Amino acid sequence: MKKTIFMTMLVLLMSTFMYAQYETVDFEEGGLGADWAWTVGENSDNPPLEIITNPSASGINTSATVAQFTARAAGMSWALCYADDVADFQFDATNTTITIMVNKPLISPVGIKFEGTSTPVEVQVSNTVTDQWENLTFDFSSAIGNTYNRIVIIPDFADRTADHIVYFDNIQIPSGNTQPPEEPETAAPTPTYAAESVISLFSDAYTNVTVDTWSADWDNAVVSDVLIDGNNTKLYTSMVFAGIEFISETIDASSMDFFHLDVWTPDAIAEGISLNVKLVDFGADGAYGGGDDVEHEISYGSGTMTSEQWISLDIPMDDFTGLTTQGHLAQLIFSGGLTTLYVDNIYFRSGNSTPNQPETAAPTPSYNEAAVISMFCNAYTDVTVDTWSAEWDDANVGDVQIAGNDTKLYTSLVYAGIEFTSAPLDITDMTHFHMDIWTPDTIDGESTFAVKLVDFGADGAYGGGDDVEAEVTFDNATLQSETWIALDMNLDDFTALTTREHIAQLVLTSGPNTVYIDNIYFRNDNQDADDEVVDVISARYELNGNYPNPFNPVTSIKFSMSQPGHAVLKVYDVRGRLVETLVNARLDADNHEIVWNADNAASGVYFYSLKVDNGPTETRRMVLLK
């Protein structure tokens, strides 16, 4: 079969081959490069790139004008210049050969680097002659599938004892006729299944097994690694069929119940277009074609697939009916007509496992909003936060619903940077900083959770000389596993935080690597949400509970309102997904009883929440047993 697939690939490549289209940065008037905004860096005093008359218009280069770069002796060995005027392009199998003409006074490497939406890529090639024009060739085939729009030239990659004048010209680069595919704005949902019940091929949430290749030599696809909202993701482009192989260490999935992957495509899901997922077991001999191979493919069309949306495919292993053995899985194959596909969270899991997450939401705070500066809390209006996971941190963050309540979920958490530099906070009138945290991780003597606040000072810039910061650390005496912990910190405990008018960063450093966080706010305890105000709000309504509980399939939910108001009563499942809105209307002051018929719901734990006007949300738990 592999030979047949390989020959098919050759036929497809030959039938679709196109000559590459290049354009040349020639620095001529009316051409490319001469009017670009070149920036020089890593060079002592950074003399600008100059466009001058060709000092040696002979041999292979008779151009009228060329670029002149001055590499200072005192500069870095990698002194460079770059331009952002390159039109977006994507490397493919036909356009990875880049050339440049150089004229140098010495033999040393020349570097060309491309930057853009994909991981930067750099190749170095040394000239072989001096004081004459030479055409150098660079191979960028390692970057196939990547998209760029900046070129960086390192004309003289060498340590220098004197200034070097280097000339370069006629840079042949891919023409900008390939636009990058549309991409997701948010990362795929972060899985929260227990690691011991998962065999992961690709997911930031787990330790991954060995995968030999994400694009086998016999397939017809281009694969690259991209970051989506800070999350590592596989991007397949020009895909006819993609072969993922893990032959060196085959996977025993015989005890697994599900195969999972999250997919996103910008392609239209037209008739005849599908995502086909095939698993192949090589058998006990671990070799393809040994006589004991089995495989099965499952197809997902328009009934499941949707364009420009993350789709979670949680496939029962029993649905792979032809996969009669699952002890030596060695291949995963995608096909079906989609040409662009983002993929994340590829793993097998045991169906007996359940996500490690809170069953109930963090307690709803009831402080008077006038006494609170909220960063993240459903009970208040939040200030602007620029990012919940800065580029420099080591963490993944996602937004999840816990019993109907918005919650931040940090996974693979070492340290997380939360920044609000565009609108720093003045907390001089605040007395406390609060957050609620929940972790499924085991708490031992090494476990800590540290909270750091950073004030950027009046200049609003980090490193401006007036920054101050302080950190408060919690150990296993405070932390607990699988329970909400309220961290209510007196700001006086942040002793080194001598100024508090321009708070711009919150940094969390954690021994637990999975942490749910809610209700992040500063408050003034001297105003203390005014107990009378809180009492008045809470006294306006009360969620009395449901009866019977457990129930099957009907239960009555009772609540009372001392004043008329707009009431919202909702039911959520244990994953925080809305099941049904039972009330969304203005009700009179009275005792109310609402009947929920759960005939169409599955057995399990459910939550119901009541909110009247702008008051706090009250939540209760109920159990459906069928």
Side-chain angles (χ1 to χ4, degrees):
M1 173 184 151
K2 292 191 75 172
K3 288 184 178 179
T4 302
I5 292 177
F6 183 65
M7 291 303 296
T8 303
M9 179 198 74
L10 289 178
V11 171
L12 287 167
L13 286 177
M14 293 176 65
S15 65
T16 60
F17 181 82
M18 295 176 59
Y19 287 101
Q21 293 187 7
Y22 290 90
E23 49 195 10
T24 301
V25 182
D26 57 11
F27 301 102
E28 303 297 327
E29 184 177 354
L32 296 178
D35 60 350
W36 287 4
W38 291 92
T39 301
V40 177
E42 310 299 340
N43 207 0
S44 178
D45 76 7
N46 288 328
L49 187 74
E50 299 179 70
I51 311 303
I52 66 166
T53 300
N54 188 346
S56 179
S58 60
I60 64 172
N61 188 13
T62 58
S63 298
T65 54
V66 300
Q68 174 182 292
F69 183 89
T70 302
R72 296 293 196 204
M76 303 301 294
S77 59
W78 54 87
L80 54 82
C81 57
Y82 64 86
D84 292 319
D85 304 81
V86 177
D88 286 355
F89 72 90
Q90 187 177 78
F91 279 122
D92 58 38
T94 69
N95 67 357
T96 57
T97 300
I98 307 301
T99 61
I100 184 174
M101 290 184 181
V102 298
N103 188 324
K104 303 177 58 176
L106 79 164
I107 304 296
S108 66
V110 174
I112 295 182
K113 182 178 184 180
F114 290 101
E115 299 175 338
T117 57
S118 299
T119 303
V121 60
E122 179 181 332
V123 177
Q124 295 181 19
V125 175
S126 181
N127 60 311
T128 61
V129 297
T130 61
D131 297 320
Q132 60 182 291
W133 287 105
E134 180 178 12
N135 197 45
L136 304 181
T137 301
F138 298 72
D139 179 9
F140 281 88
S141 57
S142 64
I144 287 177
N146 291 359
T147 302
Y148 301 104
N149 56 14
R150 170 188 284 182
I151 186 170
V152 181
I153 307 295
I154 310 171
D156 179 32
F157 203 118
D159 295 329
R160 290 172 288 278
T161 57
D163 291 355
H164 293 162
I165 305 298
V166 178
Y167 308 97
F168 59 90
D169 195 15
N170 296 326
I171 313 167
Q172 180 179 273
I173 61 175
S175 59
N177 58 357
T178 302
Q179 296 298 323
E182 296 179 52
E183 66 177 30
E185 293 183 357
T186 59
T190 301
T192 55
Y193 293 96
E196 58 267 22
S197 66
V198 170
I199 300 174
S200 176
L201 280 75
F202 182 77
S203 177
D204 284 353
Y206 304 111
T207 300
N208 300 315
V209 299
T210 300
V211 174
D212 302 313
T213 177
W214 288 95
S215 181
D217 56 9
W218 47 262
D219 76 3
N220 191 355
V222 176
V223 68
S224 59
D225 292 295
V226 297
L227 283 175
I228 301 298
D229 197 19
N231 198 61
N232 291 308
T233 307
K234 294 291 180 184
L235 167 59
Y236 286 92
T237 54
S238 304
M239 186 175 77
V240 179
F241 53 91
I244 297 96
E245 293 189 326
F246 27 100
I247 300 171
S248 63
E249 297 182 24
T250 59
I251 293 175
D252 182 359
S254 55
S255 63
M256 299 290 106
D257 297 294
F258 292 88
F259 179 57
H260 180 98
L261 61 155
D262 293 305
V263 297
W264 191 103
T265 180
D267 297 359
I269 311 299
E271 184 177 354
I273 299 295
S274 62
L275 174 63
N276 301 335
V277 180
K278 178 186 289 187
L279 291 174
V280 184
D281 190 297
F282 278 10
D285 62 1
Y288 187 82
D292 55 353
D293 309 342
V294 292
E295 61 183 49
H296 189 87
E297 182 175 78
I298 295 177
S299 180
Y300 296 95
S302 58
T304 300
M305 296 298 297
T306 303
S307 182
E308 299 186 9
Q309 178 177 318
W310 280 111
I311 304 297
S312 290
L313 301 178
D314 212 39
I315 312 169
M317 292 297 292
D318 290 344
D319 287 356
F320 293 93
T321 53
L323 205 65
T324 52
T325 62
Q326 300 175 6
H328 301 88
L329 296 176
Q331 284 182 342
L332 164 65
I333 301 171
F334 299 136
S335 62
L338 296 175
T339 60
T340 301
L341 185 70
Y342 293 82
V343 190
D344 196 5
N345 301 324
I346 308 173
Y347 56 84
F348 299 89
R349 70 173 176 88
S350 166
N352 295 326
S353 63
T354 57
N356 277 357
Q357 67 177 32
E359 292 187 355
T360 60
T364 301
S366 55
Y367 292 97
N368 189 337
E369 186 158 7
V372 170
I373 298 175
S374 175
M375 295 173 60
F376 182 77
C377 181
N378 281 2
Y380 305 113
T381 300
D382 298 326
V383 298
T384 299
V385 174
D386 301 313
T387 178
W388 288 96
S389 181
E391 292 181 355
W392 46 264
D393 76 3
D394 190 1
N396 300 314
V397 66
D399 291 294
V400 297
Q401 289 268 310
I402 300 299
N405 198 62
D406 294 325
T407 308
K408 294 291 179 183
L409 167 59
Y410 283 93
T411 55
S412 303
L413 172 60
V414 180
Y415 55 93
I418 297 98
E419 295 189 323
F420 29 101
T421 54
S422 64
L425 303 180
D426 182 353
I427 62 167
T428 52
D429 291 335
M430 300 291 110
T431 60
H432 287 75
F433 181 53
H434 179 98
M435 67 176 61
D436 293 305
I437 66 171
W438 190 103
T439 179
D441 296 1
T442 300
I443 301 301
D444 55 29
E446 303 297 321
S447 300
T448 60
F449 187 86
V451 180
K452 179 188 289 186
L453 294 173
V454 184
D455 190 299
F456 277 11
D459 63 0
Y462 184 78
D466 54 354
D467 310 342
V468 294
E469 62 182 49
E471 185 174 73
V472 173
T473 300
F474 300 90
D475 59 18
N476 62 333
T478 300
L479 303 176
Q480 296 182 51
S481 182
E482 298 190 2
T483 187
W484 281 108
I485 303 297
L487 304 180
D488 207 45
M489 297 155 268
N490 193 312
L491 286 174
D492 289 340
D493 291 339
F494 293 87
T495 53
L497 201 66
T498 53
T499 62
R500 302 177 185 175
E501 296 179 0
H502 303 90
I503 304 294
Q505 279 182 348
L506 164 64
V507 183
L508 307 176
T509 305
S510 182
N513 300 125
T514 300
V515 182
Y516 294 81
I517 306 181
D518 197 5
N519 302 325
I520 307 172
Y521 58 84
F522 300 88
R523 78 170 196 277
N524 185 329
D525 204 37
N526 296 323
Q527 297 179 27
D528 195 339
D530 196 333
D531 288 340
E532 293 184 4
V533 174
V534 176
D535 289 343
V536 168
I537 292 175
S538 60
R540 289 178 53 191
Y541 56 95
E542 181 180 0
L543 185 59
N544 304 115
N546 69 297
Y547 183 83
N549 189 20
F551 65 97
N552 178 26
V554 175
T555 189
S556 295
I557 300 173
K558 297 181 179 182
F559 60 95
S560 59
M561 297 171 53
S562 62
Q563 298 180 23
H566 190 96
V568 178
L569 179 65
K570 295 182 178 182
V571 177
Y572 297 90
D573 65 14
V574 73
R575 300 290 301 275
R577 296 171 296 195
L578 178 65
V579 176
E580 189 173 348
T581 299
L582 301 179
V583 176
N584 186 3
R586 184 172 180 81
L587 301 180
D588 294 333
D590 203 347
N591 295 321
H592 300 277
E593 182 174 347
I594 306 298
V595 174
W596 182 42
N597 188 330
D599 191 47
N600 295 324
S603 296
V605 176
Y606 293 85
F607 299 89
Y608 54 100
S609 67
L610 174 67
K611 183 181 180 70
V612 178
D613 294 332
N614 294 320
T617 300
E618 295 191 26
T619 303
R620 295 288 185 92
R621 181 176 183 270
M622 57 185 171
V623 179
L624 172 61
L625 293 178
K626 290 188 174 181

